[in-house]
Amino acid sequence: LTNLSLSDFSFKPHTWSNLHHIITTNSLESLRRWPSDLKRYLQWTTETLETYGTIANYIYKERLGWTPLISADGDGGPVFEIEDPVPFADDRDFRILRNDWPYGMEEGITHLIIWLKNRFPVDAEDGKGDLRPETRKLVEAFVERRFVRVLEKDGGGRKEERVMWFRNWTGLQSVRGIDHVHVLVRDVAEDVIDGWTGGKEDKLRKIAGVMDVGMDTIVHGRPKEKRIIGHESKAFNRTGGRSNTKSRLLGWGTANGKDLNKKRLSFKLVLIDKHKLSFLTESLRQKSNSFLHSPWRIETFDTSLPIPRAFVIVLEAMATAHTIKPTSALAPQYITGIYIPSALLLFGVGLAKKEWLPFAAIIAILLGGYRFYSSQARKVLKPDVYQEFPLKEKTVLSHNVAIYRFSLPRPNDILGLPIGQHMSVAANIDGQPKEVVRSYTPISSDENPGYVDLLIKAYPTGNISKHVSNLEIGQTLKIKGPKGAMVYTPGMVRHFGMIAGGTGITPMLQIIRAIIRGRPRNGGSDNTEVDLIFANVSLEDILLKDDLDQLAREDDRFRVHYVLNNPPEKWDGGVGFCTPDMIKEKLPKPASDMKILICGPPPMVSAMKKTTESLGYEKPRPVSKLQDQVFCF
């Protein structure tokens, strides 16, 4: 899972050249979705699996309209009646659709998928399930005649500038059982894309899902108590997935016989892209390095409302101008929250009654002062007092692991948690004589105001982890802090060696991100080297692997080394437990300007203490202190 702790505004979308590099080097594991899309995608996946059993079942029933000869059975997948055993030989054996959940790409790139009834033979010996050379030639020929030749008539351009394709390895596929090929096209007109995808029919099928009504209702009549309207907007699927191109989409209607526009808040489908608002230039957005606020913003993508499952955009005025830390006197919060309202107030009063201008100026100063104060970052953690923070969002990563996002009192509030420290979480648990307390390190930081993210694995016998996993949205969790002896400061050591197990990755990730944020290329001076040994039971147990891999790709001073107790076939990482030989090979040798950090299950921490001492590192204390060479969280 990638970049789950990031916001969309700190996420860098794939450019065409970046995508070309990823595809030509077969580095498909580098493809990433917008963080908000990824969270909705994970939620959608969970709901879809509950309803349909497999994603493949949903695809062929709801998106393709195919009827299998044999129902999907595990990895075998559905079997369809085919017209020709050669893939792409008969148009009835495949369909081209837009990808409901595209990767995070720059504007102008459209993500299509070719779904096939046929099955591709794959190379089982490479350990990835990649296409065989002869099959790759077959796909290349089809892409050439179906896409490239069409675009040669539509503006030309070199092939690699307009069309690329790839097929995920078997291990990377989110939809197994139905073979499919991804096609990316750039700067292609809507009517051309409609010609490939079936245009109106495919959109109506998606709208039927958005409106929770059948295709027959959409095509032949109007659903009861729902007024279907046309609106130019972004193409969204039933849970808010993003398409990177504009399309004509039937929008919302009425709920319980009442027009939504008559409610206090106006629920609208409007042409606003939250990554690049129409009145902002890309360069200005990049300079702000975060979301540039305006009176318009996307408030929520709500799939729980009893109204048709569409996205909700709330039109607001200045009420949302305080969710990032102001960076200068010309910060967008000040412009939209202080300067413009004050100028309008003075201008309006001047037109109406000039003698009231002094009073208007006083009011503007008072309101501006309040806005200025409220826009400042405020540390909310208290070391001696538990505070209750409500659960805002839950992102399920697996059957027992999730990221829990808790809201801070104000949008611009920060925890005030120093890098390397943790906080206490407390709860009254049934059957326990007193309040249960556990320590957790957030995976978010003070760079993410307004909330705190906790990565928690729920254990059957765990008190706090089970308690948190059972929280409903809106329920609160008691937190206090900071705690801990570790406080990271840039350049405190030349080289960190880290050993983590399971959820013990959280304090390591916090420090790693802080180091990389402080690199000279990012305006800092931190040149600290980091080597991390991350031990887990199986490949599926590696938490935030994509985040770690991405950081390692972007920073040559950070290296991650995985160790698995039960590795898959063709595994090229460490096997078994973290051994003395692994530590000698991967981590820095004992020296005065290095430090070993250890975090994980108690048995692992105890074993690593003995191992590091046997290798010549200083003996760890029972309770670590900041100056220790070997520090255990």
Side-chain angles (χ1 to χ4, degrees):
L1 300 173
T2 177
N3 297 324
L4 278 169
S5 60
L6 297 178
S7 68
D8 282 357
F9 314 109
S10 57
F11 175 86
K12 295 181 180 179
H14 293 294
T15 63
W16 187 260
S17 60
N18 172 239
L19 290 167
H20 184 266
H21 173 76
I22 289 173
I23 293 171
T24 54
T25 59
N26 209 19
S27 304
L28 302 178
E29 73 280 3
S30 301
L31 292 169
R32 307 182 308 282
R33 291 184 172 91
W34 291 97
S36 61
D37 275 359
L38 178 58
K39 292 174 184 178
R40 288 194 296 275
Y41 173 70
L42 292 171
Q43 183 64 35
W44 174 86
T45 299
T46 301
E47 295 173 356
T48 302
L49 290 174
E50 291 176 355
T51 303
Y52 293 91
T54 67
I55 302 299
N57 286 347
Y58 166 80
I59 294 294
Y60 75 71
K61 289 178 181 178
E62 304 296 343
R63 295 295 281 121
L64 298 172
W66 291 346
T67 302
L69 298 175
I70 304 173
S71 296
D73 54 349
D75 292 335
V79 177
F80 303 100
E81 181 179 359
I82 60 176
E83 303 297 329
D84 195 306
V86 179
F88 309 116
D90 193 299
D91 284 2
R92 291 169 292 182
D93 290 337
F94 65 87
R95 282 198 66 184
I96 303 172
L97 300 177
R98 296 176 187 266
N99 187 0
D100 292 345
W101 297 100
Y103 296 106
M105 301 177 291
E106 65 182 1
E107 289 294 321
I109 302 175
T110 302
H111 190 166
L112 305 174
I113 297 183
I114 311 168
W115 298 96
L116 295 99
K117 294 181 179 179
N118 311 73
R119 295 290 179 86
F120 288 135
V122 296
D123 190 349
E125 295 182 359
D126 67 354
K128 297 179 178 179
D130 204 358
L131 290 178
R132 294 177 180 173
E134 62 272 18
T135 310
R136 189 170 290 277
K137 290 180 181 178
L138 193 68
V139 178
E140 185 71 32
F142 175 77
V143 171
E144 178 75 25
R145 64 177 181 267
R146 182 57 61 101
F147 297 97
V148 176
R149 292 178 186 173
V150 170
L151 294 182
E152 286 175 349
K153 302 176 183 178
D154 179 47
R158 293 186 302 170
K159 170 185 171 182
E160 60 269 20
E161 295 177 347
R162 303 290 302 279
V163 184
M164 291 187 286
W165 70 270
F166 66 93
R167 177 188 179 275
N168 273 329
W169 318 324
T170 302
L172 293 177
Q173 290 178 352
S174 57
V175 182
R176 302 185 186 183
I178 307 178
D179 240 320
H180 54 285
V181 175
H182 297 258
V183 177
L184 305 177
V185 295
R186 183 167 67 160
D187 298 331
V188 178
E190 280 296 304
D191 57 341
V192 176
I193 294 173
D194 286 347
W196 289 327
T197 63
K200 184 176 180 180
E201 179 185 351
D202 178 43
K203 291 173 186 174
L204 289 176
R205 187 175 298 280
K206 292 178 71 174
I207 293 163
V210 171
M211 299 292 291
D212 282 340
V213 296
M215 277 287 289
D216 183 69
T217 302
I218 290 291
V219 175
H220 300 294
R222 294 190 175 188
K224 186 178 181 180
E225 293 189 344
K226 290 183 179 178
R227 175 173 57 86
I228 305 175
I229 61 172
H231 203 100
E232 191 75 12
S233 181
K234 287 282 182 178
F236 276 70
N237 68 18
R238 64 184 298 152
T239 51
R242 182 186 295 102
S243 167
N244 280 314
T245 57
K246 302 173 186 176
S247 66
R248 191 79 176 170
L249 188 71
L250 294 182
W252 41 266
T254 59
N256 301 322
K258 296 180 180 179
D259 194 316
L260 297 180
N261 273 335
K262 295 179 181 178
K263 295 192 175 184
R264 185 175 181 182
L265 290 178
S266 177
F267 294 84
K268 298 181 179 181
L269 298 179
V270 295
L271 186 53
I272 295 179
D273 177 10
K274 69 174 177 178
H275 306 296
K276 182 181 175 186
L277 298 178
S278 58
F279 53 84
L280 299 178
T281 65
E282 179 66 14
S283 61
L284 185 59
R285 187 188 69 81
Q286 291 175 348
K287 288 178 182 177
S288 69
N289 198 30
S290 57
F291 180 63
L292 188 55
H293 288 271
S294 71
W296 297 272
R297 78 167 190 153
I298 293 181
E299 176 69 18
T300 181
F301 292 90
D302 196 337
T303 60
S304 63
L305 295 172
I307 61 176
R309 298 189 178 202
F311 57 96
V312 178
I313 296 179
V314 180
L315 185 63
E316 296 179 328
M318 299 186 298
T320 60
H322 309 289
T323 61
I324 60 172
K325 182 179 179 180
T327 56
S328 71
L330 295 178
Q333 296 97 315
Y334 297 155
I335 293 174
T336 61
I338 298 177
Y339 305 149
I340 292 177
S342 299
L344 290 175
L345 174 64
L346 295 174
F347 179 74
V349 171
L351 289 178
K353 211 164 188 177
K354 291 184 178 180
E355 56 265 32
W356 288 359
L357 275 175
F359 301 102
I362 293 173
I363 293 174
I365 291 171
L366 291 174
L367 291 177
Y370 170 75
R371 291 284 193 179
F372 176 83
Y373 169 77
S374 62
S375 66
Q376 304 307 301
R378 181 184 64 167
K379 298 178 181 180
V380 298
L381 271 185
K382 297 179 180 179
D384 302 319
V385 179
Y386 279 108
Q387 301 177 82
E388 297 193 6
F389 301 100
L391 179 63
K392 175 184 179 181
E393 183 180 331
K394 176 180 177 180
T395 302
V396 177
L397 306 186
S398 68
H399 70 285
N400 64 348
V401 179
I403 294 176
Y404 301 87
R405 174 164 294 183
F406 294 89
S407 295
L408 303 183
R410 300 188 316 185
N412 220 55
D413 284 344
I414 60 175
L415 273 181
L417 186 72
I419 299 298
Q421 293 202 307
H422 52 272
M423 57 194 194
S424 294
V425 172
N428 293 307
I429 309 294
D430 291 340
Q432 297 297 323
K434 60 180 182 179
E435 196 171 55
V436 180
V437 179
R438 295 289 184 272
S439 296
Y440 286 96
T441 301
I443 60 172
S444 57
S445 70
D446 288 349
E447 300 293 316
N448 313 116
Y451 64 87
V452 55
D453 283 344
L454 297 180
L455 176 69
I456 296 179
K457 183 174 184 177
Y459 295 94
T461 58
N463 287 316
I464 292 294
S465 64
K466 281 180 62 179
H467 172 77
V468 176
S469 68
N470 291 326
L471 287 178
E472 300 290 339
I473 300 299
Q475 291 184 314
T476 60
L477 186 67
K478 296 168 66 175
I479 297 174
K480 75 174 182 180
K483 291 180 59 181
M486 168 57 68
V487 178
Y488 173 74
T489 54
M492 65 184 298
V493 295
R494 172 185 54 85
H495 198 160
F496 273 121
M498 300 179 174
I499 305 173
T503 54
I505 190 62
T506 54
M508 309 300 186
L509 184 59
Q510 188 188 61
I511 293 173
I512 292 165
R513 283 176 171 162
I515 290 172
I516 293 177
R517 280 198 305 270
R519 294 295 195 209
R521 68 175 184 273
N522 297 323
S525 59
D526 200 330
N527 289 309
T528 306
E529 292 201 51
V530 182
D531 279 279
L532 165 68
I533 295 177
F534 191 14
N536 288 273
V537 176
S538 65
L539 184 61
E540 292 73 23
D541 293 321
I542 302 178
L543 301 175
L544 302 175
K545 183 177 186 297
D546 287 345
D547 287 65
L548 293 167
D549 291 343
Q550 182 65 25
L551 290 171
R553 281 191 293 270
E554 294 175 352
D555 192 284
D556 58 3
R557 291 178 177 268
F558 167 58
R559 295 163 290 272
V560 58
H561 317 282
Y562 298 106
V563 181
L564 296 180
N565 196 31
N566 299 322
E569 293 184 9
K570 307 292 183 180
W571 174 251
D572 58 359
V575 177
F577 299 100
C578 182
T579 65
D581 287 341
M582 290 180 190
I583 294 175
K584 286 194 293 185
E585 179 186 355
K586 306 297 185 183
L587 303 189
K589 293 179 173 57
S592 60
D593 57 353
M594 54 74 56
K595 192 181 290 288
I596 298 293
L597 305 181
I598 302 173
C599 189
M604 174 193 151
V605 172
S606 178
M608 291 301 98
K609 283 183 175 182
K610 296 175 183 177
T611 301
T612 53
E613 184 182 1
S614 70
L615 292 174
Y617 298 94
E618 294 177 5
K619 182 178 180 179
R621 306 178 199 237
V623 178
S624 295
K625 296 185 179 298
L626 181 61
Q627 63 268 29
D628 292 352
Q629 189 180 66
V630 178
F631 186 96
C632 300
F633 288 92

